[in-house]
Amino acid sequence: MAMKNQYLIDLLETVKKRNAGEPEFIQAVTEVLESLEPVVEARPDLVEAGVLDRLVEPERQIIFRVPWVDDNGKVQVNRGFRVQYNSAIGPYKGGLRLHPSVYLGIIKFLGFEQVFKNSLTTLPMGGGKGGSDFDPKGKSDGEVMRFCQSFMTELCKHIGPDTDVPAGDIGTGAREIGYMFGQYKRLRNEFSGVLTGKGLTYGGSLVRTEATGYGLCYFTDEMLKANGKSFEGKTVVISGSGNVAIYATEKATELGAKVVALSDSNGYIYDEKGVDLACIKQLKEVERKRIKEYVNTHPDATYTEGCSGIWSIPCDIALPCATQNEINKESAELLVKNGCFAVSEGANMPSTPEAIEVYLNNGILYGPAKAANAGGVATSGLEMSQNSERLSWTFEEVDAKLKGIMTSIFAACDSAAKEYGMPGNYMAGANIAGFLKVAEAMKAQGCV
Ligand code: NDP
Ligand code: 2IT
């Protein structure tokens, strides 16, 4: 979609020049600026206040050395990041990604997306993201702990329960959050809600583990219902087999769908009868093994090397829950050809711009990441509330709040898309609705 507004064209040029070598960040910014074209035309006051010029630049970017000692006594060095992207509507909030592919451009794109996503949740959270190029795969618990402690030794200087509250993302789960929390508490002599996704014995919230996957299905269910459809009896393909994929599988199955495929970065399994989630949880959450092990105990299922092939499996609904740009134009075309009618994103930016064009041109119901996967951070916000009041709510209470939030996010995307002349385009709706709250707050607070 080519932009016509000269101010936006010039702004995007500046972003490209200033962030050369960071294609994911440029991709994320381009999508949002394109969606905001009608808003820019309708709201010259926001342009005047320099809201967009400020939004394309993170407030603060912290990069640091993370030295740690491996099991052989050898010093290892990783690079740590925290991008405190925008604090207009609340403390910086967003996950920590631990994956060898992490570099500044990935953290910036994730931080940028987080600003709009957090705004959509209706809770008072700004946007941030962090992480490291550390690879937890194949490391012992002791190595992971020493890395996390070293990472937090620097990170603790920059975060706090009213300043910046990190959480999990790829490679950062309950184990890593536990080690980081312990180190923060020791260094600061302070027991506070500085991280979310904590264990239930030390301030974590019920439903946070399930929240992103459940929230994805609640959002998708709303989108399906608004278009006369449902999960009932549908065949679903889900990529990934981590936190988001596992709980998306659980909720989609509860809502009457059959999930036939899951993947990891090596390959995918296909189980025509519907995947055995208890086995997947044991393999991935307890034993930390590869997905291919599934076929050892499920001889009717198949394993195929390579992860993009998963999109060639015929399905009604696709839920990408692994990583950015995992669905390209060819995969999107395959999904359409095989009769898929909805794609809803658990991962952050899993569809390339060309794939999104295929969805929109073929009438696919498209649930964009910022809206569809906001249930994780929304429940993090609920964890922050519980920590502040030093209480914990029941599973049912948190789950009901999560469901209410996902329903209101869908409604916000739907109505913004209609108001700005793009009915059914929930991507534009999410970008516009997420933007407007942040933009009003930035304008009101002056040029800071
Ligand atoms: P996990 O680390 O629990 O799982 C990640 C899964 O994705 C694994 O199956 C992993 O396979 C696969 N994966 C990771 N990188 C790649 C890659 N480059 N190519 C193919 N597969 C890959 O992470 P989460 O489930 O927490 O996160 C998944 C996605 O959801 C991410 O995009 C994340 O940003 C997003 N998200 C997460 C939220 C949360 O609350 N956790 C909230 C909102 C969004 P392997 O084991 O082989 O690496
Ligand atoms: O991408 C995301 O929204 C997350 N990884 C969750 C962030 C959080 O603070 O819970």
Side-chain angles (χ1 to χ4, degrees):
M1 208 170 51
M3 290 191 294
K4 294 190 194 73
N5 181 286
Q6 196 56 45
Y7 163 73
L8 287 175
I9 293 170
D10 293 345
L11 183 60
L12 186 57
E13 251 342 278
T14 307
V15 170
K16 285 180 179 167
K17 275 203 199 104
R18 203 179 257 166
N19 304 282
E22 296 178 359
E24 297 86 358
F25 179 66
I26 292 168
Q27 181 183 336
V29 173
T30 303
E31 181 203 292
V32 169
L33 294 187
E34 284 177 356
S35 296
L36 290 180
E37 199 153 19
V39 183
V40 163
E41 308 278 345
R43 295 293 305 272
D45 59 310
L46 296 177
V47 176
E48 184 79 9
V51 164
L52 284 153
D53 307 71
R54 289 186 276 150
L55 257 176
V56 297
E57 188 67 17
E59 288 177 15
R60 192 174 297 106
Q61 307 176 51
I62 303 149
I63 305 182
F64 49 98
R65 182 174 69 187
V66 188
W68 55 280
V69 178
D70 70 17
D71 286 347
N72 298 317
K74 189 170 176 300
V75 171
Q76 300 287 341
V77 176
N78 287 100
R79 185 172 287 180
F81 301 89
R82 187 71 184 167
V83 170
Q84 298 182 326
Y85 205 105
N86 192 291
S87 60
I89 64 169
Y92 307 107
K93 181 83 196 86
L96 297 170
R97 179 173 291 191
L98 300 182
H99 193 273
S101 63
V102 163
Y103 76 106
L104 184 61
I106 296 266
I107 302 300
K108 274 168 65 183
F109 114 67
L110 290 164
F112 179 78
E113 295 275 295
Q114 200 81 46
V115 174
F116 302 91
K117 183 196 305 193
N118 293 4
S119 165
L120 284 170
T121 66
T122 70
L123 303 174
M125 299 181 290
K129 202 83 186 191
S132 173
D133 57 2
F134 174 77
D135 185 0
K137 239 178 260 156
K139 303 288 192 301
S140 69
D141 281 350
E143 288 176 322
V144 170
M145 182 180 75
R146 292 192 294 280
F147 167 81
C148 288
Q149 290 176 338
S150 178
F151 183 78
M152 184 52 83
T153 300
E154 176 61 30
L155 187 68
C156 80
K157 299 170 190 166
H158 311 283
I159 63 176
D162 296 313
T163 308
D164 183 356
V165 182
D169 193 76
I170 291 177
T172 306
R175 173 181 63 172
E176 291 73 19
I177 292 292
Y179 294 148
M180 289 183 197
F181 182 80
Q183 182 74 351
Y184 181 89
K185 181 168 64 64
R186 185 180 187 195
L187 289 166
R188 300 282 284 259
N189 193 25
E190 168 192 303
F191 194 112
S192 67
V194 66
L195 292 164
T196 59
K198 299 185 291 298
L200 296 177
T201 52
Y202 59 95
S205 173
L206 287 161
V207 195
R208 178 61 188 89
T209 304
E210 296 85 353
T212 311
Y214 279 22
L216 169 65
C217 292
Y218 293 149
F219 177 92
T220 307
D221 199 34
E222 287 299 310
M223 177 173 79
L224 294 174
K225 281 196 300 206
N227 291 278
K229 295 184 158 62
S230 80
F231 269 112
E232 188 65 45
K234 301 302 185 304
T235 298
V236 177
V237 164
I238 299 184
S239 63
S241 49
N243 174 263
V244 181
I246 286 176
Y247 292 96
T249 302
E250 187 162 288
K251 188 52 76 177
T253 309
E254 224 179 281
L255 293 172
K258 184 170 75 170
V259 178
V260 296
L262 288 169
S263 62
D264 62 22
S265 56
N266 293 111
Y268 65 92
I269 54 150
Y270 173 65
D271 191 337
E272 202 188 344
K273 297 198 295 282
V275 297
D276 169 1
L277 191 59
C279 170
I280 298 286
K281 281 185 181 176
Q282 176 67 24
L283 278 176
K284 302 305 279 191
E285 292 185 331
V286 182
E287 298 171 19
R288 297 182 190 274
K289 286 194 175 147
R290 308 306 298 160
I291 194 99
K292 70 172 173 215
E293 307 270 344
Y294 182 85
V295 297
N296 297 342
T297 49
H298 294 76
D300 292 345
T302 57
Y303 172 74
T304 310
E305 281 287 332
C307 37
S308 68
I310 194 169
W311 308 118
S312 67
I313 300 171
C315 66
D316 302 306
I317 299 165
L319 304 176
C321 295
T323 195
Q324 64 275 355
N325 292 327
E326 53 171 315
I327 304 185
N328 60 14
K329 181 170 187 263
E330 291 69 37
S331 298
E333 283 169 347
L334 263 180
L335 285 168
V336 172
K337 182 169 149 256
N338 289 333
C340 171
F341 62 77
V343 178
S344 204
E345 300 179 330
N348 285 306
M349 205 169 76
S351 307
T352 64
E354 297 75 26
I356 296 172
E357 223 173 289
V358 172
Y359 309 151
L360 298 179
N361 290 340
N362 287 277
I364 296 252
L365 299 175
Y366 170 49
K370 284 183 198 82
N373 75 29
V377 74
T379 309
S380 281
L382 301 176
E383 183 171 329
M384 290 166 73
S385 299
Q386 293 168 80
N387 291 163
S388 295
E389 60 176 21
R390 303 206 191 285
L391 287 174
S392 34
W393 306 337
T394 64
F395 190 96
E396 290 69 27
E397 267 177 290
V398 183
D399 192 38
K401 284 192 163 67
L402 168 63
K403 199 168 183 181
I405 289 171
M406 298 316 293
T407 304
S408 79
I409 293 176
F410 176 73
C413 297
D414 191 35
S415 69
K418 284 178 182 146
E419 190 182 333
Y420 284 88
M422 293 171 279
N425 183 341
Y426 307 121
M427 170 183 75
N431 289 335
I432 292 169
F435 166 77
L436 282 172
K437 179 178 176 186
V438 177
E440 298 289 6
M442 288 175 75
K443 184 185 163 197
Q445 291 171 36
C447 182
V448 290

